[in-house]
Amino acid sequence: MTSPDRTPANPEAPNPQLPTVQKLRVRYAKRGRLRFTSHRDFGRAFERAVRRAEVPIAHSSGFTPHPKISYAGASPTGAASEAEYLEIGVVRALEPEKVAAVLDSALPPGLDILEVVAVREGSGSLADRLEASQWQLELPGVTPDEAERAVAAFLAADEVLVERMTKKGLRTFDSRSAVVRLASRTTPEGHTSYAILDVVVRHGTPSVRPDDVLAGLRAIAGLAPSAAPVATRMVQGPLDAQTGTVGDPFAPDRDAS
């Protein structure tokens, strides 16, 4: 991308920067071994990709300017995802499809840019649209019958308490209340047979993660995979509480475009 035309910055701010003229929302994936990339590591990789792709990113003013990148709803380290989101500000209007292409080529395989949309004026914050996530949990060594019994016990419970170490120490919380939908299925024909769980989790405080749901299933039904489960976030967005489905957070921006 070519460098933007120099437009007037705010002369009263320390180290004045060019103004943001467009905001872009980015959906990206963490796949394969790159699912072990931490949120901080991804942030560094994305900033390098922005520089390599010569995206005219906006910066904050002040003595230590920072690129205008905001993240929303990042997945836990170790979880794969098809639905991670961030927003950037740029100093000139760009074509979202071209931004997606140059950023994807500048990131390593496994950190993949899936879509970029321009933010519609007055559309509200991206974080407010991320109300829930749909996860796929692969459970090696667990049969479909075992998974179905555990799911039934979990859904029948009014409360399933689990413990997790947090920055504030060991916390106990209810893993059941955040689960909107939970169902089991088996692997496709031709693959090694084991159970897969599809779970929709409402976002809240404290956040209930896939490993919390698995801890709840273990506590209430003794469900124990023979190897490390693989969690993949399939969808993240607005929640339809009646159907238990998760929608597309880019829909309002895409429709406007």
Side-chain angles (χ1 to χ4, degrees):
M1 290 188 181
T2 59
S3 299
D5 295 332
R6 301 297 294 182
T7 55
N10 179 3
E12 298 180 359
N15 197 8
Q17 302 292 323
L18 296 173
T20 300
V21 301
Q22 184 187 43
K23 291 182 179 179
L24 300 171
R25 287 171 176 164
V26 179
R27 175 183 166 221
Y28 66 96
K30 294 196 307 178
R31 296 166 170 161
R33 295 178 62 184
L34 272 297
R35 72 181 188 272
F36 295 104
T37 304
S38 70
H39 178 58
R40 183 174 296 180
D41 290 339
F42 175 80
R44 287 194 288 262
F46 185 76
E47 288 189 27
R48 288 196 297 268
V50 166
R51 291 193 295 271
R52 282 198 293 266
E54 298 183 348
V55 175
I57 193 86
H59 286 75
S60 62
S61 296
F63 296 106
T64 55
H66 297 285
K68 290 191 174 181
I69 305 171
S70 58
Y71 300 88
S75 63
T77 302
S81 179
E82 296 294 312
E84 299 296 288
Y85 293 95
L86 60 84
E87 183 175 294
I88 64 174
V90 292
V91 299
R92 62 183 174 89
L94 304 171
E95 294 183 26
E97 295 83 2
K98 291 183 178 180
V99 174
V102 295
L103 284 176
D104 187 57
S105 65
L107 283 166
L111 297 178
D112 303 317
I113 302 297
L114 303 181
E115 185 178 8
V116 176
V117 298
V119 177
R120 178 174 61 85
E121 188 71 24
S123 65
S125 76
L126 176 61
D128 288 344
R129 298 182 192 173
L130 304 182
E131 299 175 330
S133 292
Q134 177 185 338
W135 291 90
Q136 174 183 283
L137 310 180
E138 300 179 35
L139 308 179
V142 175
T143 68
D145 288 343
E146 291 172 328
E148 287 181 8
R149 288 193 293 269
V151 165
F154 185 92
L155 293 176
D158 294 327
E159 182 181 70
V160 181
L161 297 179
V162 297
E163 292 183 336
R164 191 208 311 154
M165 185 62 68
T166 70
K167 294 179 180 179
K168 296 182 179 180
L170 190 65
R171 292 194 61 179
T172 301
F173 56 94
D174 180 19
S175 64
R176 173 65 184 90
S177 60
V179 175
V180 179
R181 180 164 56 88
L182 177 62
S184 66
R185 56 185 172 88
T186 189
T187 50
E189 187 175 351
H191 293 71
T192 302
S193 180
Y194 57 82
I196 297 175
L197 299 182
D198 294 311
V199 55
V200 172
V201 180
R202 181 186 292 106
H203 297 171
T205 304
S207 62
V208 173
R209 307 185 313 198
D211 52 316
D212 299 322
V213 176
L214 292 174
L217 290 165
R218 183 170 58 250
I220 201 167
L223 192 71
S226 61
V230 177
T232 303
R233 174 149 55 191
M234 307 303 295
V235 187
Q236 183 179 191
L239 173 66
D240 185 329
Q242 291 187 334
T243 62
T245 57
V246 182
D248 177 10
F250 282 175
D253 299 303
R254 191 183 298 107
D255 291 345
S257 299

